[in-house]
Amino acid sequence: MLQNVLGAAVAPLMSVAGEHTAIPLFAGMTLCTLLASAALLLTRQNTADPEQSDLTARHRRRIEK
């Protein structure tokens, strides 16, 4: 539901400069891309070490049984 509300709030801003320029659309898409990339980087887990991986721990428990 939040996604729909935000989309409805931002949609009019994408055409604020008129229909003959795409600069607001470009700026909005760039901002959303940067926010999504930041969210991905901030929320991903450090799984480079196999000992820390939750999937590896579950796999080991299955093998031990």
Side-chain angles (χ1 to χ4, degrees):
M1 178 152 162
L2 178 61
Q3 183 178 8
N4 294 334
V5 171
L6 291 176
V10 173
L13 298 176
M14 295 300 112
S15 63
V16 73
E19 59 186 46
H20 299 292
T21 181
I23 293 174
L25 181 61
F26 170 76
M29 292 174 69
T30 303
L31 179 64
C32 288
T33 301
L34 292 173
L35 288 174
S37 297
L40 176 66
L41 291 174
L42 292 173
T43 59
R44 71 178 185 178
Q45 295 178 352
N46 183 11
T47 56
D49 184 10
E51 296 297 323
Q52 294 179 353
S53 174
D54 186 41
L55 292 175
T56 304
R58 281 190 265 165
H59 180 65
R60 282 194 186 137
R61 282 188 290 236
R62 265 192 240 148
I63 292 174
E64 292 171 357
K65 288 183 180 180

